[in-house]
Amino acid sequence: MQQRYDLHSHSKASDGTLSPAELVCRARAAGITHFALTDHDTLSGIAEAQGQAQALGLGFTSGVEISVSWNKRTLHLLGLGVDANHPGLLQGLDGLLAFRVWRAEEIARRLKRDAGIADALAGAAALAQGDLIGRTHFAQFLVQAGRAKGVREVFKHFLVNGKPGHVPGDWASLEQAIGWIRAAGGQAVLAHPARYSLTRNKLRGLLGQFQELGGAGLEVVSGSHSLDDCQTMAHHARDFALLASAGSDYHGPESPWLELGRLPPLPSICRPIWQDW
Ligand code: AMP
Ligand code: MN
Ligand code: MN
Ligand code: MN
């Protein structure tokens, strides 16, 4: 049977809207044969997703999407195949969750001070159904509060660099995140590389560092990549001897521009990250 991989997704354990079990059911219904749950900075949804995948006979990889600060930017690293109970990884993620607690308070303070928006922390917290608050929850609250038409508009006007609710990240270093993932038996994959607005030279600098530090893969096919991006990233992956991954970055049915099971195939020059699974 033709295998169909989707190795990047979010449940309500982070900023998605489906439960881990609902997400796995939807993946199966969309024709995916191998699925990974990769919530932001938490592994708390893995046990439920894994149980559901087993019940449905769906291939499953436990994962996490780790927030990284690199050269004053935020990058996302997927840890695929990690042991979800590894103490070192869990401890590292705990540090990121602690930063998220402080950041959420700071976002709310700034929204009040610079945009006159009250009670954003309580509003975002009420929408967060897992153990972390993300910017997505603030965005959903601001839409509810009538401050913008949709989540994307809120990001543009309130939550990105130069806007009232922006707080710079203080996440893991590239070296730390790769170290945690490898210690937990996983493969580190640089997520949605076309999304960082890096010049070709800066991106290749990053890929060189990433590979030297023990990074294993590049997310060549992503729900947020154009077909051109996929081709470009396939060549970068080959040049840096990185394996290629594919993932939708699905967050739930409220974001209809992105559906499960609609990814293009990996370009043929790629070596898939799942080649030795
Ligand atoms: P955080 O990790 O809490 O800073 O939030 C990052 C998440 O916010 C991403 O994973 C996306 O789900 C969401 N996000 C970031 N930028 C945008 C945007 N421009 N429009 C919609 N969602 C976004
Ligand atoms: Mn997200
Ligand atoms: Mn991401
Ligand atoms: Mn993601």
Side-chain angles (χ1 to χ4, degrees):
M1 189 179 75
Q2 169 92 10
Q3 298 290 317
R4 290 177 72 193
Y5 289 80
D6 187 335
L7 303 177
H8 188 158
S9 69
H10 297 272
S11 76
K12 62 189 189 185
S14 63
D15 61 356
T17 52
L18 299 179
S19 72
E22 286 167 343
L23 187 60
V24 168
C25 292
R26 196 170 172 110
R28 157 84 187 239
I32 290 158
T33 60
H34 197 115
F35 189 67
L37 177 64
T38 56
D39 276 308
H40 297 285
D41 305 326
T42 182
L43 291 155
S44 65
I46 294 294
E48 182 185 320
Q50 190 153 31
Q52 187 63 46
Q54 212 158 28
L56 296 177
L58 191 73
F60 182 78
T61 293
S62 52
V64 62
E65 182 173 19
I66 300 182
S67 310
V68 165
S69 293
W70 178 83
N71 280 4
K72 300 194 179 144
R73 294 166 182 275
T74 296
L75 306 176
H76 286 169
L77 243 59
L78 301 174
L80 296 180
V82 291
D83 168 3
N85 297 306
H86 187 271
L89 174 59
L90 289 169
Q91 194 181 10
L93 298 180
D94 272 347
L96 300 183
L97 294 187
F99 173 69
R100 280 185 178 277
V101 170
W102 175 84
R103 185 189 69 160
E105 291 163 356
E106 185 64 18
I107 289 174
R109 271 194 290 274
R110 293 185 191 199
L111 285 174
K112 180 137 191 261
R113 188 189 65 197
D114 298 335
I117 296 167
D119 302 321
L121 183 58
L127 293 162
Q129 300 175 78
D131 50 11
L132 63 84
I133 299 184
R135 281 186 296 162
T136 304
H137 303 117
F138 280 96
Q140 289 163 347
F141 165 71
L142 289 171
V143 173
Q144 274 186 7
R147 291 299 186 128
K149 279 206 303 277
V151 162
R152 285 163 145 186
E153 200 185 311
V154 184
F155 269 89
K156 201 162 94 192
H157 295 301
F158 293 97
L159 298 175
V160 295
N161 204 355
K163 300 299 171 180
H166 180 256
V167 179
D170 184 14
W171 308 109
S173 70
L174 194 58
E175 186 171 8
Q176 282 174 323
I178 295 172
W180 300 337
I181 292 167
R182 285 167 57 105
Q187 292 169 293
V189 173
L190 181 67
H192 43 64
R195 277 248 300 271
Y196 305 123
S197 325
L198 291 164
T199 61
R200 180 184 162 84
N201 275 340
K202 283 227 173 81
L203 176 61
R204 289 177 73 87
L206 165 62
L207 293 177
Q209 274 183 38
F210 175 71
Q211 206 267 347
E212 272 178 27
L213 290 168
L218 188 64
E219 195 173 50
V220 167
V221 167
S222 160
S224 62
H225 282 176
S226 68
L227 287 174
D228 270 0
D229 292 334
C230 297
Q231 290 300 332
T232 306
M233 296 307 159
H235 285 92
H236 289 319
R238 188 189 57 185
D239 293 349
F240 290 90
L242 293 167
L243 300 169
S245 191
S248 61
D249 206 0
Y250 184 72
H251 280 72
E254 294 74 13
S255 314
W257 60 87
L258 209 164
E259 192 40 270
L260 287 166
R262 301 240 183 98
L263 291 173
L266 282 183
S268 56
I269 62 164
C270 293
R271 282 189 301 140
I273 188 106
W274 52 84
Q275 67 178 11
D276 297 324
W277 290 4

